[in-house]
């Protein structure tokens, strides 16, 4: 076994120490918010909550579970994911496959690539985008949250680079056997592209799940807000309990603005946290293999 030099050992120790501190910097605020969501309002107001709950209670979660607006917005977000992910994946795959061909197979490939890259670098802006969405009749509908983000240039380029990195012998053997381009894509390319497909799927899910600004812009009715837009309107409000303090007077002693907001944040994060472990094993491979070849 090759022994590490002293300099390499020092670098490894420094690297692990730095990454550990960086991870703790990201993780500790989340743990603190989780502890706040399980603590009483008096303990939070007194500043006694650190990394562990004080006066453990589930009242803030019970309060949020009783809010119909929360569950309605959650269903909107789930509907958005179920529509957006298949749409986006199909369009990105169909765009990436021809762009991954060799220049002699697709002579106009470089021109089409620039048609993808230039809009990524120079966007049209909020006002032109809003005008397009309004003139196409998408305002205040679920499609206003889905269609404008169907074609993601970064995801398309990631898929294209991964497809280009695959051995050409696989495709050539299929063509010799009489396979068409569609058959090569469906039976050869996609089955061996699980890492990058899982990575892009995760990107699409997280992007749509965390998006809140488009809900404020394109949706007129709060009843149509996705979860993140609903949470944003709650977080910026002056006091979470102000609107319903008369109806929930019994809970005021255990719920405050901070505990309520913390419980909402973690309830919104649960779906993504449940999906990520199943796609994690593909994530690193998809990123690395999809970014090494142009």
């Amino acid at each position: 076994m090759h022994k590490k030099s002293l300099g390499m050992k020092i670098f490894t120790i420094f690297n692990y120490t730095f990454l550990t501190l960086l991870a703790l910097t990201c993780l500790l605020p989340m743990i603190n918010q989780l502890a706040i969501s399980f603590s009483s309002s008096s303990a939070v107001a007194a500043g006694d909550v650190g990394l562990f709950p004080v006066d453990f209670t589930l009242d803030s979660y019970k309060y949020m579970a009783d809010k119909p607006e929360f569950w309605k917005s959650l269903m909107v977000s789930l509907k958005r994911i179920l529509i957006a992910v298949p749409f986006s994946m199909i369009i990105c795959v169909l765009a990436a496959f021809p762009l991954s061909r060799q220049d002699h197979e697709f002579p106009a490939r470089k021109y089409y690539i620039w048609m993808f890259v230039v809009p990524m670098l120079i966007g049209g802006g909020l006002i032109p985008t809003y005008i397009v969405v309004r003139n196409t009749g998408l305002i205040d509908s679920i499609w206003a949250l889905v269609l404008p983000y169907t074609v993601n240039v970064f995801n398309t380029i990631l898929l294209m680079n991964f497809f280009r990195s695959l051995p050409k012998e696989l495709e050539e053997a299929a063509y010799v056997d009489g396979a068409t381009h569609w058959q090569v894509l469906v039976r050869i390319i996609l089955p061996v592209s699980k890492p990058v497909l899982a990575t892009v799927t995760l990107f699409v899910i997280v992007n749509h799940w965390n998006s809140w600004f488009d809900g404020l812009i394109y949706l007129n009715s709060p009843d149509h807000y996705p979860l993140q837009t609903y949470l944003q309107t709650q977080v910026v409000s002056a006091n979470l309990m102000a609107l319903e303090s008369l109806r929930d007077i019994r809970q005021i002693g255990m719920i405050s603005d901070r505990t309520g907001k913390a419980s909402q944040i973690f309830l919104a994060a649960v779906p993504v946290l449940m999906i990520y472990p199943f796609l994690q094993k593909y994530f690193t491979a998809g990123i690395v293999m999809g970014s090494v070849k142009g």
Side-chain angles (χ1 to χ4, degrees), residues 84 87-89 91-92 146-152 156 204 208:
F87 264 72
S88 184
M89 292 302 297
I91 296 300
C92 288
V146 173
L147 293 183
Y149 308 99
T150 299
V151 181
N152 186 290
T156 302
V204 175
H208 280 279

Side-chain angles (χ1 to χ4, degrees), residues 67 78 81 96 104 108 111 140 145 171 173-174 193 197 237 246:
K67 292 179 71 68
L78 292 176
I81 293 296
H104 68 274
Y111 299 102
D140 207 30
L145 307 177
E171 299 179 33
S193 301
L197 293 176
S237 62
L246 295 178

Side-chain angles (χ1 to χ4, degrees), residues 2 24 44 51 122 152 159 173 179 182 204-205 253 272:
H2 179 69
L24 290 175
V44 174
L51 301 180
I122 307 173
N152 186 290
L159 288 167
W182 282 106
V204 175
I205 291 175
V272 175

